[in-house]
Amino acid sequence: MSEIGATRDLDATVHRVEPGGHPDSAAETALAARERAVLAREQAADRRDEAATITTELLAHSESELREANEHLVVAAVRAQTTTEAAEHATALMSVKAERDFLTGLPNRALLTDRLAQSIEFAQRRGLKVALMFLDLDNFKEINDSLGHAVGDGVLKSAAKRLQGCLRGSDTVSRQGGDEFVVLLTEIASVQDTGIIADKLKKSMAEPHLIANHQIRVTLSIGISLYPDDGNDVESVLSHADIAMYSAKRSGRNTYRRFTSDMRADAEARRSL
């Protein structure tokens, strides 16, 4: 029976009095029943409110746990991505350090050797020539001794930029160490081209280098070796360019020499002594 129906029955009871019954007693009974019904409604309402409160709290708690779990998941994903990027960056940095000169950023001997091998293989298929130039900065030791190694390092950096500015994008400038550089010229059409480029390098390097308020002039001694004219493999081309460079130094510096077989015989005689 619904609460409304119960209330109506109670109201009807107020007006119904059993034969022989006392009207006041019947009214009190009806009033008590009504009060119990009102109390029951209030208790039912309280229970509904309590249930709603509990449900709201449970939902809020569940949402809080879900939000916290999502936050943890996002943080974990960000950390994983950061770790991956850091590892990739470290790997790339190690690769660069393994192939680049720490001072000038130029390719080192290992990277130059690899590029020379590729250039020789390509030139062999196309019937072209490859030229290798060993360059030495004349009297560089005097710069370090008189002005200090910081100025000397500045000269090396400036020299590296000038050498790069004289060459094509397909060519390579490498620093071998100290004051020695190597230039790799790919796809050379004729021997005469190497002399033209050597003169260009000398002229560019002769312009004053402004380092720490010092105007420093530098000259070059250059040795040239060609594939396949002066060597058929990487080691012979490298070795013969080095021999030609020392020949240029003995000739008075600030010049260039192309390798000849006489230079090799002279170098072997000096080594035997």
Side-chain angles (χ1 to χ4, degrees):
M1 181 181 296
S2 65
E3 294 178 358
I4 296 175
T7 303
R8 289 176 179 174
D9 291 341
L10 291 173
D11 290 339
T13 304
V14 174
H15 300 284
R16 284 198 310 267
V17 180
E18 293 294 332
H22 196 281
D24 292 339
S25 176
E28 291 175 358
T29 301
L31 181 60
R34 176 176 290 184
E35 290 177 351
R36 287 195 298 273
V38 171
L39 179 60
R41 287 199 302 271
E42 291 178 351
Q43 290 176 344
D46 290 341
R47 284 194 292 271
R48 286 196 301 271
D49 293 342
E50 183 179 357
T53 300
I54 293 174
T55 301
T56 302
E57 290 178 352
L58 288 174
L59 289 174
H61 184 67
S62 298
E63 290 176 358
S64 176
E65 287 184 341
L66 181 60
R67 184 167 54 253
E68 184 177 355
N70 287 336
E71 290 174 354
H72 286 312
L73 182 60
V74 170
V75 170
V78 170
R79 288 178 177 174
Q81 180 66 23
T82 302
T83 302
T84 301
E85 291 176 354
E88 292 175 350
H89 177 71
T91 301
L93 185 60
M94 290 175 63
S95 177
V96 170
K97 287 184 177 181
E99 297 180 340
R100 297 282 173 172
D101 171 58
F102 73 96
L103 179 63
T104 62
L106 295 177
N108 59 16
R109 185 181 181 88
L111 183 54
L112 172 74
T113 302
D114 181 64
R115 290 185 180 180
L116 176 57
Q118 294 180 24
S119 298
I120 289 176
E121 182 179 351
F122 181 79
Q124 188 177 24
R125 294 197 304 266
R126 299 284 297 272
L128 299 173
K129 297 181 185 295
V130 175
L132 197 70
M133 295 181 171
F134 259 70
L135 290 70
D136 188 81
L137 304 185
D138 297 326
N139 302 314
F140 180 75
K141 184 175 183 299
E142 295 179 4
I143 297 174
N144 275 338
D145 292 344
S146 60
L147 300 177
H149 288 279
V151 174
D153 288 347
V155 171
L156 292 173
K157 292 179 182 178
S158 177
K161 290 181 180 179
R162 293 196 184 180
L163 293 175
Q164 288 178 304
C166 294
L167 303 175
R168 303 166 299 177
S170 58
D171 299 327
T172 298
V173 183
S174 168
R175 184 187 176 211
Q176 298 296 285
D179 58 348
E180 289 187 351
F181 295 86
V182 177
V183 171
L184 170 63
L185 305 175
T186 61
E187 302 181 39
I188 297 297
S190 66
V191 176
Q192 287 73 23
D193 291 342
T194 61
I196 295 173
I197 296 173
D199 284 329
K200 184 179 180 180
L201 295 175
K202 285 175 52 190
K203 183 178 179 180
S204 175
M205 195 63 63
E207 294 294 326
H209 300 259
L210 182 60
I211 310 296
N213 297 323
H214 298 285
Q215 284 194 356
I216 302 173
R217 295 184 181 275
V218 179
T219 59
L220 287 176
S221 293
I222 305 174
I224 304 172
S225 173
L226 278 80
Y227 167 87
D229 305 52
D230 305 319
N232 293 317
D233 54 49
V234 170
E235 290 303 323
S236 61
V237 173
L238 284 168
S239 175
H240 293 165
D242 192 23
I243 290 173
M245 184 268 290
Y246 279 102
S247 176
K249 277 191 169 297
R250 290 192 301 274
S251 299
R253 297 184 174 88
N254 192 28
T255 187
Y256 65 87
R257 291 286 184 271
R258 184 189 160 191
F259 173 80
T260 64
S261 57
D262 293 340
M263 294 178 184
R264 180 172 57 192
D266 183 51
E268 289 175 352
R270 287 197 310 274
R271 280 198 296 268
S272 66
L273 291 176

